[in-house]
Amino acid sequence: CRRAPSHARRAAGAVPQTPDGPKPPSHEILGVYITANAADIRAAPVDSRTGGFVKAGASTKLQANATADDVATAVKSLCESLEWRGRVGVSLSGMITRVEGEIAKAGAMSRDEVERKVHAATGLDVAVMSGAEACGFAELKFGGGVDVASGLVMFCMVGGRFSTSLY
């Protein structure tokens, strides 16, 4: 069964619901940032049309050498504290494997594993990117890359580490 487009449901006065209450508009995403060495995790609802925050976020600490299970538990806790029921985007700083089906090496988390575990813990749609991927995507959508109509774009991020992404 196909659902009516969200604008049609809103026009009819219907608010999308989940078993736990109203679902946020489809353009709102909970942005989750996990700092280098997985020490902290921060989350805030973001309007994907503007890149702006919808409301104040929340943060929590992670134990040293956090695993994908630890990340999933922390994201679930943040979703609960923010009463979030929509889509979730997770940005992992540092070591994340990007090859589909690749087994994570020591000190790295597999994107696939984090997506599966966060989805299992929250029941929400989840996407995981590296920090450089997320920053590059945001730059193309909201920053200097807005005027780039076509072609290959390489985004380089220099800080404690050197990270890149290609779009």
Side-chain angles (χ1 to χ4, degrees):
C1 167
R2 292 182 53 91
R3 295 176 59 187
S6 60
H7 65 277
R9 290 192 309 273
R10 279 194 298 278
V15 176
Q17 296 285 316
T18 68
D20 298 320
K23 190 174 184 180
S26 62
H27 62 271
E28 292 180 10
I29 298 168
L30 184 66
V32 178
Y33 175 68
I34 302 171
T35 61
N37 302 321
D40 294 311
I41 182 168
R42 302 172 189 149
V46 177
D47 184 324
S48 65
R49 299 172 304 182
T50 65
F53 292 113
V54 174
K55 66 179 185 177
S59 66
T60 188
K61 298 274 186 200
L62 288 172
Q63 65 184 24
N65 301 315
T67 65
D69 288 318
D70 298 326
V71 168
T73 300
V75 171
K76 180 181 180 185
S77 172
L78 290 169
C79 286
E80 289 170 351
S81 72
L82 293 168
E83 297 179 346
W84 188 256
R85 295 168 188 88
R87 294 180 295 165
V88 178
V90 178
S91 169
L92 287 171
S93 178
M95 301 291 287
I96 180 169
T97 62
R98 202 55 195 140
V99 178
E100 296 298 327
E102 181 176 308
I103 304 298
K105 295 171 181 53
M109 286 188 217
S110 160
R111 171 188 157 272
D112 216 30
E113 179 183 25
V114 172
E115 282 180 356
R116 275 193 331 272
K117 294 200 176 201
V118 172
H119 173 72
T122 64
L124 303 174
D125 291 334
V126 179
V128 175
M129 293 181 158
S130 73
E133 287 176 303
C135 289
F137 183 81
E139 187 65 26
L140 287 174
K141 177 108 171 128
F142 305 109
V146 168
D147 297 327
V148 176
S150 65
L152 184 64
V153 176
M154 178 181 220
F155 178 81
C156 299
M157 197 164 77
V158 180
R161 300 174 188 193
F162 179 78
S163 303
T164 62
S165 58
L166 290 173
Y167 292 93

